[in-house]
Amino acid sequence: MLDVTVIEDPEAAAVSLDPIRARLLAELAAGPASAAMLAGRVGLPRQKVNYHLKALERHGLVELAGERRKGNVTERLMRATAASYVISPLALAAVQPDPDRFRDQLSARWLLALGARLVRDVGSLITGATKARKGLATYALDGEVRFASATERAAFIQELTAGVTSLIRKYDAPDAEGGRDHRIVVAVHPTLKQTELE
């Protein structure tokens, strides 16, 4: 099971957003289960659970983990294909955010468009690397800082911009034969309080 997978297909996204199917995905992320086992957990008839499992399986969100005999019946044990799922903006391709339409480094909406592009691009890279059975070289840095004031935050952003720009100038080799372009995204936003996450 993958830790996280990106859903790019609109139909798979719709299937995963159904509340019953989302609940089944959560149950199966915890471990393999049969339709009968899940029926007891989610309070639905086994046949209805089976119907939803087949829809999830058709879109690659769950897979067969094994089979076991129970009396005269062979039970299929299903498992989620990932512990968690992210829906790519490709699922809504016609209306996906485009950060190139509007560039404003201080806009939260532009940051959101950049984040959406990050999900879309890295999701597509993961899909391609998986199909090609190759690794994918990425890097991420995550941290928190408490600023004493808005002035300090502005100074930090100014220094961060200068530092990253200097590194880009130093290592950018646009004419390098065989080189590969890489996207760099640096974001600063307020940390959500626990109450905002609930």
Side-chain angles (χ1 to χ4, degrees):
M1 175 192 309
L2 299 170
D3 179 47
V4 63
T5 196
V6 179
I7 299 171
E8 296 174 331
D9 177 58
E11 289 180 25
V15 164
S16 71
L17 290 172
D18 175 272
I20 293 169
R21 292 172 183 163
R23 172 84 191 277
L24 293 173
L25 280 175
E27 291 289 338
L28 292 172
S34 68
M37 294 163 67
L38 290 167
R41 293 183 203 166
V42 299
L44 291 171
R46 182 188 55 77
Q47 294 85 350
K48 194 162 199 156
V49 170
N50 230 354
Y51 166 79
H52 290 297
L53 287 176
K54 284 184 186 278
L56 290 167
E57 187 177 19
R58 261 192 318 277
H59 293 286
L61 301 172
V62 301
E63 63 189 4
L64 184 65
E67 295 179 333
R68 69 177 182 192
R69 297 278 304 159
K70 197 166 183 187
N72 295 344
V73 178
T74 300
E75 273 191 330
R76 297 178 80 222
L77 294 172
M78 304 303 289
R79 69 175 165 224
T81 55
S84 55
Y85 300 86
V86 174
I87 297 176
S88 169
L90 285 176
L92 290 169
V95 291
Q96 67 180 306
D98 180 4
D100 293 330
R101 257 194 320 247
F102 170 71
R103 296 181 69 85
D104 178 359
Q105 290 178 308
L106 300 177
S107 165
R109 297 195 188 285
W110 190 61
L111 175 57
L112 192 60
L114 287 173
R117 182 176 63 193
L118 180 69
V119 169
R120 182 199 68 200
D121 291 355
V122 174
S124 294
L125 288 167
I126 289 170
T127 300
T130 302
K131 285 179 184 171
R133 292 192 166 114
K134 291 188 175 182
L136 178 61
T138 62
Y139 168 78
L141 175 66
D142 181 40
E144 278 188 40
V145 60
R146 179 182 290 251
F147 297 110
S149 66
T151 303
E152 295 261 324
R153 184 183 65 233
F156 174 86
I157 289 171
Q158 192 172 26
E159 283 185 53
L160 180 65
T161 302
V164 172
T165 302
S166 173
L167 283 171
I168 290 171
R169 277 195 210 110
K170 180 178 179 180
Y171 290 99
D172 187 26
D175 299 327
E177 205 171 304
R180 182 164 185 185
D181 292 340
H182 284 71
R183 182 169 301 284
I184 298 163
V185 177
V186 178
V188 176
H189 64 81
T191 304
L192 284 175
K193 296 178 180 137
Q194 187 60 38
T195 53
E196 295 170 311
L197 294 171
E198 296 168 352

